[in-house]
Amino acid sequence: MDLFEYMRENNKNTESPLAMRLRPETLDEMVGQSHIIGKDKLLYRAIKADKLSSVIFYGPPGTGKTTLARIIANTTSAEFNQVNATVAGKKDMEEVVAKAKDNLGMYGRKTILFVDEIHRFNKGQQDYLLPFVEDGTIILIGATTENPYFEVNGALISRSIIFE
């Protein structure tokens, strides 16, 4: 870590909004959502065992979808990539997929792709991800405030577990 990275990280910790600084970093720190991340629930066990499959988190703003994705990033051994569907394009997806193929082929390491606002991806962007979700190149975590059964590609839905 060079000096600039250190300063940027240090400033982020002191200058970022309070909610960001207090955001939970482990499953045990997370409050609420016990219907999906309680100790005996499927998602909790999958995260702890590092055996996560593709999932879509669906719910109103402020319910912990992004926080849960960040907790998964902190807990699993997989490479973690995050994009926001409002600004990401096909080139961004191609870079993530190329890196995921390298990680899987060279190191046997899985890649998690977190797509915030996944309902904003158009059909072509969602279709592009499908073969890589299917063959295990990437594990998709999608977050949406819209009903995924209407806004997300049916093929991606069928390969994911929906958590409301």
Side-chain angles (χ1 to χ4, degrees):
M1 180 183 296
D2 66 10
L3 179 61
F4 293 113
E5 286 179 41
Y6 172 77
M7 292 302 293
R8 188 172 35 248
E9 192 65 31
N10 193 34
N11 285 339
K12 188 174 83 173
N13 290 338
T14 59
E15 301 297 325
S16 63
L18 182 62
M20 185 68 173
R21 287 182 275 156
L22 294 177
R23 182 173 273 180
E25 294 181 5
T26 66
L27 280 171
D28 295 328
E29 291 176 4
M30 183 96 171
V31 176
Q33 306 304 336
S34 59
H35 65 288
I36 60 171
I37 57 168
K39 290 199 187 301
D40 61 336
K41 301 298 180 184
L42 172 68
L43 186 58
Y44 180 91
R45 292 191 324 260
I47 294 168
K48 286 294 192 180
D50 203 1
K51 299 284 185 191
L52 189 69
S53 62
S54 293
V55 296
I56 296 177
F57 300 136
Y58 156 54
T63 55
K65 299 178 296 293
T66 301
T67 297
L68 189 51
R70 288 175 182 260
I71 287 171
I72 291 169
N74 293 339
T75 306
T76 66
S77 63
E79 178 77 22
F80 189 83
N81 293 284
Q82 178 175 351
V83 297
N84 190 306
T86 59
V87 294
K90 187 173 180 193
K91 184 179 179 210
D92 299 313
M93 297 297 99
E94 289 170 344
E95 288 173 8
V96 169
V97 168
K99 206 161 96 174
K101 285 179 178 179
D102 289 345
N103 280 334
L104 195 58
M106 289 192 287
Y107 309 111
R109 189 171 184 204
K110 297 176 186 176
T111 298
I112 294 174
L113 171 61
F114 173 55
V115 181
D116 205 2
E117 308 290 340
I118 193 169
H119 63 277
R120 302 259 186 187
F121 266 171
N122 64 36
K123 185 178 179 343
Q125 289 168 309
Q126 291 182 30
D127 285 344
Y128 176 76
L129 292 176
L130 183 61
F132 307 111
V133 170
E134 256 182 355
D135 70 8
T137 302
I138 61 171
I139 297 168
L140 176 67
I141 299 177
T144 179
T145 56
E146 303 295 322
N147 187 332
Y149 294 104
F150 295 111
E151 301 295 332
V152 178
N153 179 325
L156 281 178
I157 292 283
S158 73
R159 288 155 180 84
S160 304
I161 301 171
I162 310 293
F163 291 100
E164 186 174 353

